[in-house]
Amino acid sequence: MLFGGQTLFKGKWIGAGETPETNELIRQGLWLYAPNSLIQPVERTIPLEIVHPEVQR
């Protein structure tokens, strides 16, 4: 799923060190709207609330 041309694995990395590769983020379950994610949405990120509730789940 793309949000404004970005994947749900792109945003501001707030973890230690460099941002991991996308495959590693997926493996760790780190995405923009995951609980306790180390990725934060940026200004251009589309809010999850505009997505249908079925897709949100």
Side-chain angles (χ1 to χ4, degrees):
M1 178 180 294
L2 295 179
F3 272 42
Q6 298 292 321
T7 72
L8 295 175
F9 301 95
K10 296 283 185 187
K12 179 181 177 189
W13 177 250
I14 58 170
E18 297 291 318
T19 305
E21 296 290 327
T22 302
N23 288 344
E24 182 62 19
L25 294 171
I26 293 168
R27 189 184 73 70
Q28 292 183 32
L30 298 173
W31 60 290
L32 283 174
Y33 301 108
N36 303 314
S37 181
L38 296 173
I39 305 171
Q40 291 183 338
V42 293
E43 187 176 309
R44 67 183 178 276
T45 304
I46 295 172
L48 187 62
E49 293 79 28
I50 70 166
V51 179
H52 190 280
E54 290 291 319
V55 176
Q56 288 184 31
R57 281 181 267 191

